[in-house]
Amino acid sequence: MKAAFDGSRRGLARALSHIENNQMGSIEPPSNYIPPDKNEWQVLGVTGAPGVGKSCLVDKIIQHWIEQGHKVAILAVDPTSPVTGGALLGDRLRMSNSDGEESVYFRSIATRKHGGSVPGVVAKMLELLIFCGWTKCIVETVGAGQGEIRVAAIADRILLVEAPGRGDGVQAEKAGLIELADLIVVNKSDLDGAQRTADEIRQALQVGATSPPQILLASAATGEGIEEMCVSIDQMVEREGSSRAKLLERVKAVHEQALLDSPQLENILEIVASGTSAEMALQALDKQSQQNTQKE
Amino acid sequence: MAAPLRVVVAKPGLDGHDRGAKIVARALRDAGHEVIYTGLRRTPEQIVRIVMDEDAQLLGLSSLSGAHAHLFPIICQLLVEAEMGDVVVFGGGIIPTNDRPALYEAGVRAVFGPGTTSTEIVEFIETVTEKTNSGESIGCGAKTDWHWGQ
Ligand code: B12
Ligand SMILES: Nc1nc2c(ncn2[C@@H]2O[C@H](COP(=O)(O)OP(=O)(O)O)[C@@H](O)[C@H]2O)c(=O)[nH]1
Ligand SMILES: [Mg+2]
């Protein structure tokens, strides 16, 4: 941890692994730590279905921010196979521009046993990165329907990426994420149907109650609209009503993490398997954790 | 349960053959490991940086263009210089038998040619894990004569 605070990349990488493996307690900032300006935000969540071009766009955002003098850290989340426990982490593939840059730290993360799209440990990893002086952090999440919304728990701002020609209407609408996005980018504007996709999203948003976010067309392939996207990201304001939803997700994420990390988890599953309701089993867990707090 | 192994699979140099690397990456994933694939055309410096940032314990290099004799030893050397001599380096592709001793000498612990089965690669990884767990150093910077298929 000390090595990480002293600016060692290897120290940072090691400390992040400790967090990932649940071998790290709470993190205190270093004594010389200067918290970032209250008006600046740090964490951008980038989400959307697989293949829409999130990684390609992230590569552009990184370039934009390092030109501004930021130190940019990226946490790219990909799913773990529930069967084998293995994972293929391929987001780096699209980041050839950033490999080797001193002011870019890129880390691939597998979801491991965490069901949602953003593992709970990511919040702690972000905390450490910010303490270590990374001024902008990007979290790219797996595009997986319902679980998607969990990104709101850890991001200050959310960029939702869509793309044309996916044939099944607007995915994010189903996930409820469209309500939370602070900016929506329809990528692959070089392909047919991008405008139509944008129109569909606009229509979907009109039905919703909150004020709609900006919708932009862009192409990571041709560079069209990328500059506008970067400018919009820097000027992005949090959507009305979304901060409560973010807080709610934050609380839910901590709660879920506590359950997944509980040494009682296996017991609970056994109790449920033997026919007791899940509700009863969880009550037993709550009692236990109350006793533990009293002991402390 | 122990944390999964983190393995970087990399394509150094200008070589554009990526079928083998992708097959190996998938085989390692199916064996329960976390595999980070770098994509094509990475420099030795970039690869070392990736291994560092990803905190990987193993590095698999794939080369079919003939540049292995030059690139693999440089990567091992850069790893050692970056204090990552504990990383286990292995490789595969079109690598003539005559070229292999020099690679082993440089710290590469296994070389797999065309037709290698996933089973064999997974067996190698298991052997690495056993050796590492029993305290034997077989990283690219370790002073050992051991290599796979001896
Ligand atoms: C398919 C192929 C291509 C395809 C590649 C498609 C692609 N995206 O991969 C195309 C047509 C693009 C191509 C192009 C060229 N090719 Co070509 N190609 C082949 C060919 C026929 C098969 C390679 C292949 O995909 N095999 C299937 C995979 C699964 O096997 P593999 O890669 O060997 O991987 C296995 C093992 O080696 C090992 N392994 C490989 N990597 C790793 C990594 C790790 C960590 C581990 C553990 C194991 C491992 O495990 C794998 C599974 O068993 C080979 C000949 C051959 N028989 O190998 C020539 C060959 C590799 N090509 C060759 C050449 C010369 C070229 C070109 C220069 C031709 C030209 N003049 O334009 C170009 C260069 C392209 C470039 N930019 O690099 C030569 C290389 C000669 C040399 N090394 O001295 C070969 C050997 C043909 C020959 N006999 O001359 N090629
Ligand atoms: N035509 C076109 N293809 C793109 C564009 N952006 C990304 N792609 C391609 O879309 C695929 C998925 O991109 P990727 O960034 O990995 O998507 P992700 O899964 O959302 O991270 C890749 O094959 C890219 O080359 C774009 O603007 N136009
Ligand atoms: Mg991606």
Side-chain angles (χ1 to χ4, degrees), chain A residues 21 29 56 65 80 118 126 137 178 196 207 219 249:
Chain A
N21 299 333
C56 293
W65 275 340
T80 293
V118 180
L126 288 167
C137 300
I178 208 159
R196 198 173 57 236
V207 190
S219 166
E249 283 305 316

Side-chain angles (χ1 to χ4, degrees), chain A residues 1-12 14-15 132:
Chain A
M1 180 86 96
K2 188 171 175 311
F5 287 155
D6 289 344
S8 148
R9 287 185 89 99
R10 190 153 208 225
L12 174 63
R14 282 275 156 94
C132 289

